[in-house]
């Protein structure tokens, strides 16, 4: 599920850069800020710390509070919107919101924030690695861009559906991911 969501978020970000060229300057400034130190510093402070702290705040405290007061759709959407606004970038609002929906859905289905923390970390970790190994990621991007859009979208949909199914099966077999 994360792979298809990550690809969707990436695609939306690319589309936004086409329509809002000034976003590229903002992205470059953010990349300089995030990747300006050592790789390990960035992994700890850009990937690991936000994954833990933001999940505790948004999918722990906020999500739990909303879940007691409203239905699952409102809980997922409102917590995801607040998560996206928290990141303080109008250009990243939609992609961050979509990631927030995935993370909130996983917490809702599993009953645990730990899986969301892991996925959040992986997402941020890939972003950090893309800054430090830009040429390698650029090569992957060029290969993906060469793939027929219909095939790419079908692959993403299948990936998401299989991920959702596996998550649901894991919950049914264990009752929950709670320890």
């Amino acid at each position: 599920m994360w792979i298809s969501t990550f690809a969707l978020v990436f695609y939306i970000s690319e589309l936004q850069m086409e329509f809002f060229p000034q976003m590229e300057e903002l992205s470059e400034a953010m990349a300089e800020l995030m990747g300006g130190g050592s790789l390990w510093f960035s992994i700890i402070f850009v990937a690991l710390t936000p994954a833990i702290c933001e999940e505790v705040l948004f999918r722990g405290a906020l999500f739990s509070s909303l879940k007691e007061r409203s239905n699952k759709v409102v809980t997922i959407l409102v917590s995801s919107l607040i998560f996206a606004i928290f990141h303080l970038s109008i250009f990243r609002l939609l992609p961050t919101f979509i990631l927030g929906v995935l993370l909130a859905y996983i917490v809702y289905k599993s009953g645990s924030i730990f899986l969301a923390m892991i996925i959040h970390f992986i997402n941020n970790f890939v972003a950090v690695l893309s800054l430090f190994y830009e040429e390698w990621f650029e090569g992957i991007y060029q290969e993906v861009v060469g793939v027929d859009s219909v095939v790419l979208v079908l692959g993403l949909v299948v990936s998401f559906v299989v991920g959702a199914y596996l998550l649901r099966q894991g919950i049914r077999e264990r009752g929950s991911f709670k320890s």
Side-chain angles (χ1 to χ4, degrees):
M1 284 176 49
W2 171 79
I3 292 172
S4 57
T5 303
F6 181 79
L8 177 63
V9 165
F10 181 79
Y11 183 71
I12 289 171
S13 296
E14 288 296 310
L15 281 176
Q16 286 179 319
M17 283 196 207
E18 290 293 320
F19 292 106
F20 304 105
Q22 66 273 28
M23 185 179 153
E24 191 165 350
E25 293 172 17
L26 180 64
S27 293
E28 289 172 5
M30 188 64 146
E32 182 67 30
L33 180 66
M34 288 178 14
S38 73
L39 176 61
W40 288 109
F41 179 86
S42 294
I43 290 170
I44 292 168
F45 291 103
V46 177
L48 182 62
T49 303
I52 294 169
C53 296
E54 290 177 11
E55 290 311 310
V56 167
L57 177 62
F58 293 106
R59 258 63 69 186
L62 179 62
F63 185 89
S64 297
S65 177
L66 289 170
K67 191 169 81 170
E68 293 173 4
R69 298 184 176 121
S70 57
N71 66 41
K72 71 178 178 180
V73 173
V74 170
T75 299
I76 290 171
L77 294 178
V78 169
S79 66
S80 300
L81 180 61
I82 294 171
F83 172 70
I85 291 169
F86 173 80
H87 284 81
L88 301 175
S89 172
I90 190 72
F91 296 114
R92 299 285 310 149
L93 188 69
L94 182 58
T96 306
F97 173 76
I98 291 169
L99 180 63
V101 168
L102 171 71
L103 295 170
Y105 175 77
I106 287 170
V107 170
Y108 178 79
K109 284 302 215 181
S110 70
S112 171
I113 65 170
F114 295 110
L115 187 55
M117 282 180 184
I118 292 167
I119 292 171
H120 194 150
F121 170 76
I122 292 169
N123 183 74
N124 292 355
F125 181 71
V126 169
V128 167
L129 288 180
S130 73
L131 297 173
F132 282 87
Y133 302 102
E134 191 172 344
E135 289 178 20
W136 187 79
F137 277 87
E138 185 64 30
I140 291 173
Y141 173 74
Q142 293 304 324
E143 287 184 34
V144 170
V145 169
V147 174
D148 183 18
S149 296
V150 173
V151 172
L152 185 60
V153 169
L154 281 174
L156 296 175
V157 168
V158 168
S159 171
F160 185 83
V161 169
V162 168
Y165 173 78
L166 292 173
L167 178 64
R168 178 178 222 126
Q169 288 302 107
I171 292 168
R172 276 193 192 145
E173 289 175 11
R174 292 175 190 82
S176 174
F177 282 113
K178 293 179 186 175
S179 42

